[in-house]
């Protein structure tokens, strides 16, 4: 009976948000921390959207009711200096402050850890191209460690390590790596002269790079495509014209690393989903999996930069968030109790 009661209490606590558990002694137990995060990921609960705008201001948007917002305080106070989110993973944000200081920030517990500084040798062909620095942030299940890739930083050992040189050419300025299947990914060229884009993955366990095969239609110059991660899968968005229509197709890779497992999730010609730009980014599935949340990255004056697409009815529902400027970046965030070293900021 005692064991049953104990298990029931654990199940109830796993359902609560991090904010509701800050008083509880369980929040420092490593087993419960992992159990709570696992429950949140499995049930698609305790999720929110983080909006960054004006380069240094942040809003937290309730995932189930996107119209509900909450302003977030910076760890370093209200200084108006640029803060760039480098990655989001399991309730932790890797953040660059004022272009040269990097820290890991748990928004839910309000704690953060400043990473040691390191110099970058721009004469070496690593994850740098054109004197721009490229990052990726993720979790390695095998070593139970969070890693930030610039070279490689390990949160467990609190140090930077050099990995093998990056033998590809990155495409976009300061592009951030996206995580799927324990692998960080970037879009690259194989050579400076190449016009065909490729997807390269960095395995956080083996710390090896390898190419991930894309569908054959990606070789078509008339198709614009981009790849991100959604719901744990690689997700490819392809934009092309059919007669007088602009078509957006969304594909996901059901079995990681298997080219034949790319399947079409949806196809839309709705103008509401295409506000004059091909830069549609699928962010996440709804809690029941029936809808996909899109971010219009360049909405050209349209304030409704977030839209829900119903996979069944194929209808589009605009999401209006009051008090938010037209241009902002969006990051998916899941609450967690994962500890970092510093005390909570006020």
């Amino acid at each position: 009976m005692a064991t049953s009661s104990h298990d029931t209490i654990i199940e109830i606590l796993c359902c609560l948000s991090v904010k509701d558990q800050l008083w509880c002694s369980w929040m420092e137990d490593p087993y419960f921390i992992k159990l709570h995060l696992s429950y949140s990921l499995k049930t698609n609960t305790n999720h929110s959207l983080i909006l960054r705008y004006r380069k240094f201001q942040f809003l937290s948007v309730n995932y189930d009711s996107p119209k509900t917002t909450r302003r977030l305080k910076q760890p370093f106070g209200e200084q108006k200096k640029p803060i760039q989110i480098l990655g989001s993973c399991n309730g932790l944000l890797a953040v660059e402050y004022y272009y040269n200081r990097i820290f890991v920030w748990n928004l839910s517990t309000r704690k953060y850890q400043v990473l040691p500084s390191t110099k970058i040798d721009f004469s070496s062909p690593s994850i740098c191209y054109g004197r721009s620095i490229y990052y990726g942030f993720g979790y390695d299940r095998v070593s139970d460690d969070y890693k930030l890739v610039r070279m490689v930083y390990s949160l467990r050992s609190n140090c930077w390590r050099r990995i093998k040189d990056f033998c590809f050419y990155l495409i976009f300025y300061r592009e951030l790596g996206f995580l799927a299947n324990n692998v960080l990914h970037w879009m690259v060229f194989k050579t400076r002269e190449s016009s065909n884009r490729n997807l390269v993955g960095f395995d956080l366990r083996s710390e090896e790079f390898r190419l991930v095969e894309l569908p054959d239609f990606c070789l078509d110059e008339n198709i614009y495509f981009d790849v991100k991660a959604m719901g744990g899968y690689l997700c490819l968005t392809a934009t092309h014209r059919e007669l007088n229509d602009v078509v957006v197709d969304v594909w996901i890779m059901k079995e990681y690393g298997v080219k034949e497992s790319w399947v079409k999730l949806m196809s839309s010609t709705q103008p509401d989903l295409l506000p004059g730009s091909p830069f549609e980014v699928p962010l996440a599935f709804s809690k029941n999996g029936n809808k996909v949340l899109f971010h219009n990255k360049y909405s050209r004056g349209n304030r409704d930069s977030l839209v829900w697409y119903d996979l069944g009815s194929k209808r589009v529902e605009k999401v209006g968030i009051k008090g938010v400027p037209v241009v902002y970046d969006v990051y998916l965030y899941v609450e967690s109790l994962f500890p970092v070293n510093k005390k909570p900021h006020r």
Side-chain angles (χ1 to χ4, degrees):
M1 180 66 69
T3 302
S4 177
S5 300
H6 177 270
D7 292 341
T8 301
I9 293 173
I10 293 296
E11 290 180 7
I12 294 173
L13 289 174
C14 281
C15 297
L16 298 177
S17 68
V18 171
K19 181 181 179 180
D20 294 330
Q21 301 194 59
L22 294 179
W23 55 268
C24 183
S25 60
W26 284 101
M27 68 170 289
E28 297 182 356
D29 181 80
Y31 172 75
F32 179 73
I33 290 172
K34 292 182 180 180
L35 196 65
H36 181 269
L37 176 63
S38 176
Y39 178 85
S40 297
L41 294 173
K42 185 181 299 183
T43 59
N44 204 16
T45 54
N46 294 322
H47 284 62
S48 61
L49 301 174
I50 304 300
L51 275 58
R52 184 190 77 118
Y53 61 102
R54 295 175 184 166
K55 294 186 178 181
F56 57 85
Q57 295 190 5
F58 296 87
L59 284 178
S60 174
V61 181
N62 186 288
Y63 183 69
D64 296 319
S65 178
K67 294 182 181 181
T68 305
T69 63
R70 177 172 60 91
R71 187 181 177 189
L72 300 174
K73 292 183 179 180
Q74 302 177 16
F76 297 118
E78 297 302 310
Q79 302 180 54
K80 296 182 178 181
K81 295 181 179 179
I83 295 182
Q84 173 68 50
I85 295 178
L86 306 177
S88 173
C89 182
N90 294 349
L92 299 181
L93 294 180
V95 182
E96 183 182 34
Y97 173 68
Y98 199 43
Y99 304 115
N100 59 7
R101 194 175 188 183
I102 300 175
F103 59 96
V104 176
W105 181 17
N106 186 322
L107 296 178
S108 303
T109 64
R110 298 182 294 113
K111 295 183 180 181
Y112 66 94
Q113 177 176 337
V114 179
L115 275 57
S117 60
T118 180
K119 294 182 179 180
I120 296 185
D121 180 9
F122 285 105
S123 65
S124 176
S126 58
I127 288 192
C128 305
Y129 177 55
R131 289 189 176 271
S132 297
I133 305 171
Y134 297 82
Y135 292 93
F137 180 61
Y139 174 67
D140 175 18
R141 296 184 185 90
V142 177
S143 64
D144 188 26
D145 196 8
Y146 290 83
K147 296 179 180 179
L148 176 64
V149 176
R150 179 171 68 176
M151 288 176 282
V152 168
Y153 171 82
S154 167
L155 193 60
R156 180 176 294 277
S157 61
N158 194 38
C159 69
W160 293 91
R161 292 183 291 104
R162 183 61 184 266
I163 57 176
K164 293 183 178 180
D165 285 341
F166 187 72
C167 301
F168 303 96
Y169 295 87
L170 287 142
I171 298 173
F172 301 109
Y173 174 70
R174 291 183 66 85
E175 182 182 16
L176 303 177
F178 48 93
L179 184 69
N181 200 60
N182 204 46
V183 178
L184 286 166
H185 302 82
W186 293 266
M187 295 302 299
V188 299
F189 293 124
K190 287 185 179 180
T191 66
R192 286 181 184 269
E193 296 77 21
S194 176
S195 59
N196 294 327
R197 295 186 294 160
N198 294 270
L199 181 65
V200 66
F202 175 76
D203 191 304
L204 289 171
R205 180 184 61 83
S206 64
E207 298 187 355
E208 297 282 345
F209 291 101
R210 70 166 183 169
L211 290 171
V212 180
E213 290 191 278
L214 299 173
D216 290 336
F217 65 74
C218 292
L219 297 174
D220 189 337
E221 295 182 355
N222 296 314
I223 295 179
Y224 174 86
F225 72 92
D226 192 23
V227 185
K228 298 297 181 184
M230 182 177 69
Y233 298 102
L234 286 178
C235 179
L236 185 150
T237 306
T239 305
H240 58 98
R241 285 193 173 275
E242 289 184 3
L243 300 177
N244 295 324
D245 294 325
V246 178
V247 181
V248 173
D249 296 329
V250 177
W251 298 67
I252 59 173
M253 181 178 256
K254 297 289 288 185
E255 184 177 351
Y256 183 81
V258 178
K259 180 180 179 181
E260 293 73 21
S261 71
W262 283 104
V263 297
K264 187 184 291 187
L265 178 68
M266 55 163 284
S267 183
S268 175
T269 58
Q270 297 198 43
D272 286 339
L273 198 62
L274 295 161
S277 170
F279 298 102
E280 282 290 338
V281 181
L283 291 174
F285 290 103
S286 61
K287 186 179 292 186
N288 60 15
N290 294 335
K291 298 180 181 179
V292 176
L293 183 65
F294 282 86
H295 176 213
N296 302 332
K297 292 180 65 176
Y298 302 100
S299 55
R300 296 187 181 181
N302 184 357
R303 287 188 174 277
D304 295 316
S305 294
L306 295 174
V307 297
W308 282 109
Y309 179 87
D310 192 301
L311 296 172
S313 67
K314 299 183 180 181
R315 294 180 178 177
V316 173
E317 176 188 354
K318 294 183 178 181
V319 179
I321 305 176
K322 295 182 179 180
V324 178
V326 173
V327 179
Y328 54 81
D329 301 321
V330 184
Y331 305 87
L332 186 65
Y333 178 80
V334 58
E335 294 182 5
S336 86
L337 293 161
F338 187 85
V340 286
N341 290 342
K342 297 295 182 181
K343 295 180 180 180
H345 58 88
R346 295 182 179 180

Short mmCIF file of all heavy atoms in Angstrom, two decimals, residues 312-344:
data_model
loop_
_atom_site.label_atom_id
_atom_site.label_comp_id
_atom_site.label_asym_id
_atom_site.label_seq_id
_atom_site.Cartn_x
_atom_site.Cartn_y
_atom_site.Cartn_z
N GLY A 312 -6.48 17.47 -40.61
CA GLY A 312 -7.69 16.78 -41.07
C GLY A 312 -8.53 17.66 -41.98
O GLY A 312 -8.79 17.32 -43.14
N SER A 313 -8.95 18.82 -41.48
CA SER A 313 -9.82 19.71 -42.25
C SER A 313 -9.05 20.58 -43.24
O SER A 313 -9.65 21.19 -44.12
CB SER A 313 -10.61 20.61 -41.30
OG SER A 313 -9.74 21.51 -40.61
N LYS A 314 -7.74 20.66 -43.06
CA LYS A 314 -6.86 21.49 -43.89
C LYS A 314 -7.18 22.98 -43.76
O LYS A 314 -6.92 23.77 -44.67
CB LYS A 314 -6.91 21.06 -45.36
CG LYS A 314 -6.45 19.63 -45.59
CD LYS A 314 -6.44 19.27 -47.06
CE LYS A 314 -5.97 17.82 -47.25
NZ LYS A 314 -5.93 17.45 -48.69
N ARG A 315 -7.73 23.35 -42.64
CA ARG A 315 -8.03 24.75 -42.38
C ARG A 315 -6.88 25.43 -41.65
O ARG A 315 -6.12 24.79 -40.92
CB ARG A 315 -9.31 24.87 -41.56
CG ARG A 315 -10.56 24.42 -42.30
CD ARG A 315 -11.79 24.57 -41.41
NE ARG A 315 -13.00 24.18 -42.12
CZ ARG A 315 -14.21 24.16 -41.57
NH1 ARG A 315 -14.36 24.54 -40.29
NH2 ARG A 315 -15.26 23.79 -42.28
N VAL A 316 -6.80 26.75 -41.83
CA VAL A 316 -5.76 27.56 -41.19
C VAL A 316 -6.40 28.47 -40.17
O VAL A 316 -7.40 29.14 -40.45
CB VAL A 316 -4.98 28.38 -42.23
CG1 VAL A 316 -4.02 29.34 -41.54
CG2 VAL A 316 -4.22 27.46 -43.17
N GLU A 317 -5.83 28.49 -38.97
CA GLU A 317 -6.32 29.36 -37.90
C GLU A 317 -5.19 30.28 -37.46
O GLU A 317 -4.14 29.83 -37.00
CB GLU A 317 -6.79 28.52 -36.71
CG GLU A 317 -7.23 29.35 -35.52
CD GLU A 317 -7.51 28.50 -34.30
OE1 GLU A 317 -7.47 27.25 -34.41
OE2 GLU A 317 -7.75 29.08 -33.22
N LYS A 318 -5.41 31.57 -37.61
CA LYS A 318 -4.40 32.54 -37.21
C LYS A 318 -4.32 32.66 -35.69
O LYS A 318 -5.33 32.54 -35.00
CB LYS A 318 -4.70 33.92 -37.80
CG LYS A 318 -4.59 33.97 -39.32
CD LYS A 318 -4.83 35.38 -39.83
CE LYS A 318 -4.68 35.44 -41.34
NZ LYS A 318 -4.89 36.82 -41.86
N VAL A 319 -3.12 32.90 -35.20
CA VAL A 319 -2.90 33.07 -33.77
C VAL A 319 -2.45 34.51 -33.53
O VAL A 319 -1.37 34.90 -33.99
CB VAL A 319 -1.83 32.09 -33.23
CG1 VAL A 319 -1.60 32.32 -31.73
CG2 VAL A 319 -2.24 30.66 -33.50
N GLY A 320 -3.26 35.28 -32.85
CA GLY A 320 -2.91 36.68 -32.58
C GLY A 320 -2.35 36.83 -31.18
O GLY A 320 -2.95 36.36 -30.21
N ILE A 321 -1.19 37.45 -31.06
CA ILE A 321 -0.58 37.70 -29.76
C ILE A 321 -0.45 39.21 -29.59
O ILE A 321 0.31 39.86 -30.30
CB ILE A 321 0.81 37.03 -29.65
CG1 ILE A 321 0.71 35.54 -29.96
CG2 ILE A 321 1.40 37.23 -28.26
CD1 ILE A 321 2.04 34.83 -29.97
N LYS A 322 -1.19 39.76 -28.66
CA LYS A 322 -1.20 41.21 -28.46
C LYS A 322 0.12 41.70 -27.86
O LYS A 322 0.73 41.04 -27.04
CB LYS A 322 -2.36 41.59 -27.54
CG LYS A 322 -3.74 41.33 -28.14
CD LYS A 322 -4.83 41.78 -27.19
CE LYS A 322 -6.22 41.54 -27.80
NZ LYS A 322 -7.30 41.97 -26.88
N GLY A 323 0.52 42.90 -28.31
CA GLY A 323 1.68 43.54 -27.72
C GLY A 323 3.02 43.05 -28.22
O GLY A 323 4.06 43.39 -27.66
N VAL A 324 3.02 42.23 -29.28
CA VAL A 324 4.28 41.70 -29.81
C VAL A 324 4.57 42.37 -31.15
O VAL A 324 3.69 42.46 -32.01
CB VAL A 324 4.20 40.18 -30.00
CG1 VAL A 324 5.49 39.64 -30.59
CG2 VAL A 324 3.91 39.51 -28.66
N PRO A 325 5.80 42.86 -31.37
CA PRO A 325 6.15 43.49 -32.65
C PRO A 325 6.01 42.51 -33.81
O PRO A 325 5.85 41.30 -33.62
CB PRO A 325 7.62 43.90 -32.45
CG PRO A 325 7.79 43.99 -30.97
CD PRO A 325 6.90 42.94 -30.40
N VAL A 326 6.07 43.04 -35.01
CA VAL A 326 5.90 42.21 -36.20
C VAL A 326 7.00 41.17 -36.32
O VAL A 326 6.75 40.01 -36.64
CB VAL A 326 5.87 43.10 -37.46
CG1 VAL A 326 5.86 42.24 -38.72
CG2 VAL A 326 4.66 44.02 -37.44
N VAL A 327 8.24 41.56 -36.07
CA VAL A 327 9.38 40.67 -36.28
C VAL A 327 9.85 40.07 -34.96
O VAL A 327 10.13 40.80 -34.01
CB VAL A 327 10.56 41.43 -36.95
CG1 VAL A 327 11.75 40.50 -37.13
CG2 VAL A 327 10.11 42.02 -38.28
N TYR A 328 9.92 38.77 -34.89
CA TYR A 328 10.45 38.11 -33.70
C TYR A 328 10.87 36.69 -34.06
O TYR A 328 10.42 36.11 -35.05
CB TYR A 328 9.46 38.12 -32.54
CG TYR A 328 8.08 37.56 -32.83
CD1 TYR A 328 7.84 36.19 -32.84
CD2 TYR A 328 7.01 38.43 -33.07
CE1 TYR A 328 6.57 35.69 -33.08
CE2 TYR A 328 5.75 37.93 -33.31
CZ TYR A 328 5.52 36.56 -33.31
OH TYR A 328 4.27 36.08 -33.56
N ASP A 329 11.74 36.13 -33.24
CA ASP A 329 12.16 34.75 -33.37
C ASP A 329 11.36 33.89 -32.40
O ASP A 329 10.97 34.34 -31.32
CB ASP A 329 13.66 34.60 -33.06
CG ASP A 329 14.53 35.43 -33.97
OD1 ASP A 329 14.21 35.50 -35.17
OD2 ASP A 329 15.51 36.02 -33.50
N VAL A 330 11.12 32.63 -32.76
CA VAL A 330 10.32 31.74 -31.93
C VAL A 330 11.10 30.46 -31.65
O VAL A 330 11.73 29.88 -32.55
CB VAL A 330 8.99 31.38 -32.61
CG1 VAL A 330 8.13 30.52 -31.68
CG2 VAL A 330 8.23 32.62 -33.02
N TYR A 331 11.05 30.01 -30.39
CA TYR A 331 11.72 28.78 -29.98
C TYR A 331 10.75 27.95 -29.14
O TYR A 331 10.05 28.48 -28.28
CB TYR A 331 12.97 29.10 -29.14
CG TYR A 331 13.93 30.03 -29.84
CD1 TYR A 331 13.78 31.42 -29.73
CD2 TYR A 331 14.99 29.54 -30.61
CE1 TYR A 331 14.65 32.28 -30.37
CE2 TYR A 331 15.86 30.41 -31.25
CZ TYR A 331 15.69 31.77 -31.13
OH TYR A 331 16.55 32.63 -31.76
N LEU A 332 10.72 26.66 -29.39
CA LEU A 332 9.89 25.75 -28.60
C LEU A 332 10.64 25.39 -27.33
O LEU A 332 11.83 25.08 -27.36
CB LEU A 332 9.58 24.49 -29.41
CG LEU A 332 8.60 23.51 -28.76
CD1 LEU A 332 7.22 24.16 -28.63
CD2 LEU A 332 8.51 22.23 -29.58
N TYR A 333 9.92 25.43 -26.21
CA TYR A 333 10.56 25.22 -24.91
C TYR A 333 9.72 24.28 -24.06
O TYR A 333 8.48 24.38 -24.04
CB TYR A 333 10.70 26.58 -24.20
CG TYR A 333 11.30 26.52 -22.82
CD1 TYR A 333 12.68 26.43 -22.65
CD2 TYR A 333 10.49 26.56 -21.69
CE1 TYR A 333 13.23 26.38 -21.38
CE2 TYR A 333 11.04 26.53 -20.41
CZ TYR A 333 12.42 26.43 -20.27
OH TYR A 333 12.97 26.38 -19.02
N VAL A 334 10.38 23.34 -23.38
CA VAL A 334 9.69 22.46 -22.44
C VAL A 334 10.27 22.69 -21.04
O VAL A 334 11.49 22.79 -20.87
CB VAL A 334 9.84 20.97 -22.86
CG1 VAL A 334 11.30 20.55 -22.96
CG2 VAL A 334 9.10 20.07 -21.87
N GLU A 335 9.40 22.82 -20.07
CA GLU A 335 9.86 23.07 -18.70
C GLU A 335 10.63 21.86 -18.17
O GLU A 335 10.30 20.72 -18.47
CB GLU A 335 8.67 23.35 -17.79
CG GLU A 335 7.93 24.63 -18.11
CD GLU A 335 6.80 24.87 -17.12
OE1 GLU A 335 6.68 24.09 -16.15
OE2 GLU A 335 6.04 25.83 -17.32
N SER A 336 11.65 22.13 -17.36
CA SER A 336 12.37 21.05 -16.70
C SER A 336 12.98 21.55 -15.40
O SER A 336 13.11 22.76 -15.17
CB SER A 336 13.47 20.48 -17.61
OG SER A 336 14.67 21.21 -17.49
N LEU A 337 13.35 20.61 -14.56
CA LEU A 337 13.97 20.91 -13.27
C LEU A 337 15.48 20.75 -13.31
O LEU A 337 16.13 20.80 -12.27
CB LEU A 337 13.39 19.97 -12.20
CG LEU A 337 11.91 20.17 -11.86
CD1 LEU A 337 11.35 18.92 -11.19
CD2 LEU A 337 11.73 21.38 -10.97
N PHE A 338 16.04 20.57 -14.51
CA PHE A 338 17.47 20.30 -14.62
C PHE A 338 18.28 21.40 -13.94
O PHE A 338 18.09 22.59 -14.23
CB PHE A 338 17.89 20.17 -16.07
CG PHE A 338 19.33 19.73 -16.24
CD1 PHE A 338 19.66 18.39 -16.24
CD2 PHE A 338 20.35 20.66 -16.36
CE1 PHE A 338 20.97 17.98 -16.38
CE2 PHE A 338 21.66 20.26 -16.49
CZ PHE A 338 21.97 18.90 -16.50
N PRO A 339 19.19 21.03 -13.02
CA PRO A 339 19.91 22.04 -12.25
C PRO A 339 21.09 22.63 -13.00
O PRO A 339 21.78 21.95 -13.76
CB PRO A 339 20.40 21.25 -11.03
CG PRO A 339 20.59 19.86 -11.55
CD PRO A 339 19.52 19.65 -12.58
N VAL A 340 21.29 23.92 -12.83
CA VAL A 340 22.53 24.57 -13.26
C VAL A 340 23.10 25.27 -12.03
O VAL A 340 22.43 25.42 -11.01
CB VAL A 340 22.29 25.56 -14.41
CG1 VAL A 340 22.05 24.83 -15.70
CG2 VAL A 340 21.14 26.49 -14.11
N ASN A 341 24.34 25.74 -12.12
CA ASN A 341 25.10 26.06 -10.92
C ASN A 341 24.66 27.31 -10.16
O ASN A 341 24.73 27.37 -8.94
CB ASN A 341 26.58 26.20 -11.27
CG ASN A 341 27.19 24.86 -11.63
OD1 ASN A 341 26.63 23.82 -11.31
ND2 ASN A 341 28.32 24.88 -12.33
N LYS A 342 24.25 28.35 -10.86
CA LYS A 342 24.03 29.64 -10.21
C LYS A 342 22.71 29.69 -9.46
O LYS A 342 21.76 28.98 -9.75
CB LYS A 342 24.11 30.77 -11.24
CG LYS A 342 25.47 30.90 -11.90
CD LYS A 342 26.54 31.30 -10.89
CE LYS A 342 27.89 31.47 -11.57
NZ LYS A 342 28.96 31.83 -10.64
N LYS A 343 22.65 30.60 -8.49
CA LYS A 343 21.41 30.86 -7.77
C LYS A 343 20.41 31.56 -8.68
O LYS A 343 20.80 32.16 -9.68
CB LYS A 343 21.69 31.72 -6.53
CG LYS A 343 22.56 31.05 -5.48
CD LYS A 343 22.77 31.97 -4.29
CE LYS A 343 23.63 31.29 -3.23
NZ LYS A 343 23.86 32.16 -2.06
N PRO A 344 19.11 31.51 -8.34
CA PRO A 344 18.10 32.18 -9.18
C PRO A 344 18.38 33.67 -9.28
O PRO A 344 18.80 34.31 -8.33
CB PRO A 344 16.79 31.92 -8.43
CG PRO A 344 17.06 30.73 -7.57
CD PRO A 344 18.52 30.81 -7.19
#
